[in-house]
Amino acid sequence: MDVIVLGGGLMGTASAYFLARRGARVTLLERNRIGTGATVASFGNIRRTGRHPSQLPLAHRSLKLWGEAERMLGRDVEFRATGHIRLIFDEGGLADMRAYAEAARPWGLELEELGPREIRARFPGLGPEAIAASFSPQDGSGNPRLIAPAFAEAARKLGAEIVEGAEVGKITSTGSGFLVASSKGTFAAGCLLNTAGAWGARIAAQFGEVIPLDAYGPQMGVTEPLPHRILPVVGIWTRDKDYGAYLRQVERGNIVFGGAAERVAVNLDPGHATADPMRLPLQLRAVARLLPAIAQVAIIRTWSGCEGYVRDMLPVMGRSATTPGLFHAFGFSGHGFQLGPGVGDAMAELIMTDCCETLLDDFRVDRFARAA
């Protein structure tokens, strides 16, 4: 089977790899360079906590693959299962955490509740005013700059064609497959997989499938290197978006942080997002609530990226509802990094076998049309 994959972020490159591993002849078309869209802007969080319950089976599938990534891809993508802690500072956050833990348990996620003494003993320096926290020990982080190129290179070794700098133009459904005209030539295949991220809704619209998707850019930052002391990824349970920050420390010592600052709308033409320095003070106040010591540290870089947010914050995944042979996997709404390997594996399974062991019904492309 021939498959064209549109988009060279984590979803696209993982799909290309798993398709090629299943014996498909794959061509991946990327408008810029591999991994330079939403993937490279990602925080690198590999977490299951806080996900919509219907995403948890996919998240479990993906976590297993993250654990196998170095052996599978022949490269260290810096996946570290150091755990994920979410701090709680008020009774509202505590109630939300406990309600979520109860709802997620049947879906296979067990969260450990920590009290103030346990937080201080196990994670000194974090959230000194926290009244509680949730902890998921199997979660962690990975390197957004490494993972998509690693999947692309592994796919190439399996015979996939990876074409960068290919601006896609007209896409034609021929009845027996698809013709994709691009700046690097015209490509033909029996199946088409749309992993175009924030541009995915534009592809879907060409086939009569309208998705309410908006493009936004997160604000991310990183500090100077410090002694490596913070092992888990750190987040927060809060109803106040001004405090919704998160951070992690990489092995080189730098602290990567994000959240709190409002995302900025991005024009998809050309699709470049920039960080707003005026939002940094508010963001740092929220980060300092999680880690007070960061107030004494120099910020060396800020950045943003272009992410696609669907109205209901759930991705679009699965078969097209209008066009045989067309498949979608886009709109991960700022929380797709952890899901990436699982998405690629699931889409390859669906395309190659016409079924998928992971339930994808809540992500159907026609869910908005059915609700209208």
Side-chain angles (χ1 to χ4, degrees), residues 230-277:
I230 304 167
L231 290 178
V233 177
V234 185
I236 185 173
W237 290 97
T238 181
R239 300 174 184 179
D240 186 343
K241 63 181 179 63
D242 288 341
Y243 282 105
Y246 42 84
L247 65 92
R248 67 183 179 94
Q249 188 173 27
V250 303
E251 291 170 357
R252 290 171 292 280
N254 309 76
I255 295 174
V256 183
F257 61 88
E262 185 176 353
R263 296 179 180 94
V264 178
V266 180
N267 187 335
L268 289 178
D269 300 309
H272 297 309
T274 57
D276 181 356

Side-chain angles (χ1 to χ4, degrees), residues 39-116:
T39 302
V40 79
S42 171
F43 172 62
N45 198 358
I46 297 175
R47 62 147 179 103
R48 293 166 298 162
T49 306
R51 292 193 177 278
H52 190 282
S54 65
Q55 287 189 8
L56 286 174
L58 185 61
H60 297 324
R61 180 175 185 159
S62 199
L63 183 62
K64 183 176 184 293
L65 292 168
W66 274 108
E68 299 170 359
E70 183 172 357
R71 175 193 57 77
M72 186 169 62
L73 303 177
R75 181 175 177 181
D76 180 14
V77 294
E78 297 183 7
F79 168 63
R80 303 291 185 265
T82 52
H84 181 257
I85 184 172
R86 273 195 168 187
L87 299 168
I88 301 166
F89 294 88
D90 54 54
E91 293 299 326
L94 182 59
D96 290 347
M97 184 276 286
R98 287 175 172 168
Y100 179 80
E102 186 67 24
R105 191 171 293 113
W107 295 84
L109 178 61
E110 293 286 344
L111 292 181
E112 181 182 356
E113 182 176 328
L114 307 180

